[in-house]
Amino acid sequence: QVQLVESGGGLVQAGGSLRLSCAASGSIRSITTMGWYRQAPGKQRELVAKIISGGSTNYAASVKGRFTISRDNAENTVSLQMNSLKPEDTAVYYCNAGVLTTSSYRILEVWGQGTLVTVSP
């Protein structure tokens, strides 16, 4: 079994910064892609940023230049540094990982429980 635990959400004023962190634990052989998604009220969940094990990254157009994703492969962690936050960034942010477990050769998609980010005007 694999778990993702997020931390770092909260309330911040527009223009401020927050850093989200996510740690994976459990029966992990390796992790392929790690990423962050978000879901605002009344909207579908959307990709914010993702990073593969080799370090290549992909960002949503709306956050490019403001958010930075990074990972520590040895620690199985992923972080999202969010700068110049806007009210429209308000959402529940979910950590996501593609995990190869010790008991299977199939990649398991795992989600965290979500952490709320609220950006006030």
Side-chain angles (χ1 to χ4, degrees):
Q1 190 174 357
V2 178
Q3 289 185 323
L4 300 180
V5 178
E6 300 127 332
S7 61
L11 174 64
V12 65
Q13 287 188 328
S17 298
L18 280 176
R19 184 176 180 86
L20 305 182
S21 296
C22 172
S25 63
S27 305
I28 299 170
R29 188 195 307 269
S30 64
I31 300 178
T32 57
T33 302
M34 300 190 81
W36 291 92
Y37 289 72
R38 67 186 181 187
Q39 187 166 19
K43 295 188 176 181
Q44 289 189 329
R45 191 174 297 189
E46 62 175 2
L47 173 70
V48 176
K50 61 182 178 181
I51 181 169
I52 65 172
S53 57
S56 295
T57 59
N58 187 28
Y59 294 92
S62 59
V63 307
K64 197 171 292 186
R66 300 188 296 124
F67 292 9
T68 302
I69 189 170
S70 59
R71 67 186 282 178
D72 184 328
N73 292 329
E75 298 293 330
N76 291 328
T77 60
V78 63
S79 297
L80 185 69
Q81 178 66 40
M82 305 185 293
N83 299 329
S84 302
L85 282 160
K86 304 175 181 179
E88 51 263 44
D89 294 317
T90 295
V92 177
Y93 284 70
Y94 296 91
C95 180
N96 173 270
V99 180
L100 195 59
T101 68
T102 56
S103 60
S104 174
Y105 287 98
R106 296 179 62 184
I107 295 175
L108 179 68
E109 185 175 35
V110 185
W111 292 90
Q113 79 285 356
T115 185
L116 179 62
V117 172
T118 303
V119 184
S120 63

